[in-house]
Structures are given as structure tokens and as C-alpha cells.
Amino acid sequence: MTSQQSATIVKASDSDIVASVAFMMKIRREVFPMIDHDVLPVDLVNFSQSYMQPGSALFIATVEDAGIIGSIGVVPYDDRITEIKGRYDVSTTAEIVKCYVDPRYRRGGLGSRLVGEALRFIAQSGYQTAYLHTHRFLPGAVTFWQRNGFAIRMEGEDDWQTVHMGYSGALLNEKNT
């Protein structure tokens, strides 16, 4: 069994906040080198409000010898993205954020396990729609999400090469994605 398969995935608790933020910032530096990393994103500054409220969660994958090796967050979608403003019902839409896997543990199924955990949480929380966005400049990102049941809903015409995606699997109500 590989370490990705033996990784434990749990919902982050208060005791995981410091390590979770450190892990996500480490991966964020790698995948988004153009961003100012001296400033924490709002969701990480307000971790408890972002991920510890009903309808929100951060799942972390750990292995004993390495600590946190993966993360995925679920938050209520807040209609903040201008390109898709009004397209999603904020009362029934969850957004998947910060799906990160340590480079040493990629391509072994851990990312898909994290997505599965997030989708189970989304369905159990009563959401009808799962939304996320990714970027074309991230190698393999769009195809990864497509393999995990997401479909492209819109491609942005911006410098970030943003791809807006919705879950198209049977777990959630398809009519709203």
C-alpha cells in the first residue's frame, strides 16, 4: 500500500489550524508563485469562521512520517466572482477550495480521495450544487477535476486562465450545476 492510499483523511479541528495553514501556504507558494505570500488569504486569516462553521470544512490528509500531505476545503459559495455573479444560488451552493497535495504524494489517488470526502460532506450538508474554479496554467488541473465528475461551465477571458466548473455527478442535484 502506498503512503497516499494509507493516508488518513480527517476533518480539521482547532488543533490542526496552525499546521493546516502552514501546509496550504507552502503549496500555494509552489502553484501560485506570482502572488504575494507575505499576506495570508482572508480564509486562512479567519480560519475558524471559514472552515469550522456548519456547512464548511477543511479536510486534511496525513501520513505518520510526513504530517499533512493534502487538503481540500468546502465553504458556502458567496457570489464574489464577478464573471459568474448570480449564476449560483448562494443558499444551496458549496464551493471547493484549496485542494492541494504535496508534490511528493501526487499522482497516487490522494487528490481524488480528498475530492470524494469533500463531495460526501457537500451532499450530507444539504447542498444541491458544487462549484469550483481552477486555472489552465496549472498542469493537469482541468482534467483532474473532469475525472472527478466536474464539468466546465465557463472559461474566463482573464490573465489567470480561470475555468469555472460544476459537479455533474449523481451525488448532487444536477439541475443546479
Side-chain angles (χ1 to χ4, degrees), residues 71-72 96 98-101 106-116 132 134 136 138-151 165:
S71 68
I72 193 166
I96 292 179
K98 301 217 172 15
C99 182
Y100 297 146
V101 174
R106 291 181 186 153
R107 304 255 180 246
L110 181 58
S112 294
R113 286 182 57 209
L114 286 162
V115 171
L132 65 85
T134 189
R136 287 274 178 202
L138 297 173
V142 173
T143 56
F144 166 79
W145 289 109
Q146 288 172 320
R147 281 193 318 270
N148 281 281
F150 284 80
M165 304 183 83

Side-chain angles (χ1 to χ4, degrees), residues 56-126:
S56 301
L58 180 77
F59 294 94
I60 53 173
T62 61
V63 290
E64 194 170 307
D65 59 337
I68 298 174
I69 62 168
S71 68
I72 193 166
V74 176
V75 296
Y77 180 65
D78 62 5
D79 209 28
R80 74 188 181 291
I81 301 172
T82 304
E83 283 183 310
I84 59 170
K85 196 144 197 76
R87 183 173 182 147
Y88 292 96
D89 180 342
V90 295
S91 67
T92 61
T93 302
E95 181 177 5
I96 292 179
V97 297
K98 301 217 172 15
C99 182
Y100 297 146
V101 174
D102 184 299
R104 298 169 295 173
Y105 297 91
R106 291 181 186 153
R107 304 255 180 246
L110 181 58
S112 294
R113 286 182 57 209
L114 286 162
V115 171
E117 196 65 40
L119 290 173
R120 275 188 291 284
F121 176 81
I122 288 167
Q124 290 168 354
S125 297

Side-chain angles (χ1 to χ4, degrees), residues 23 26 32 41 53 80 109-110 117 129 132 145 157 164 169:
F23 168 77
K26 175 184 144 197
F32 299 111
Q53 301 300 316
R80 74 188 181 291
L110 181 58
E117 196 65 40
T129 305
L132 65 85
W145 289 109
E157 296 179 20
H164 302 277

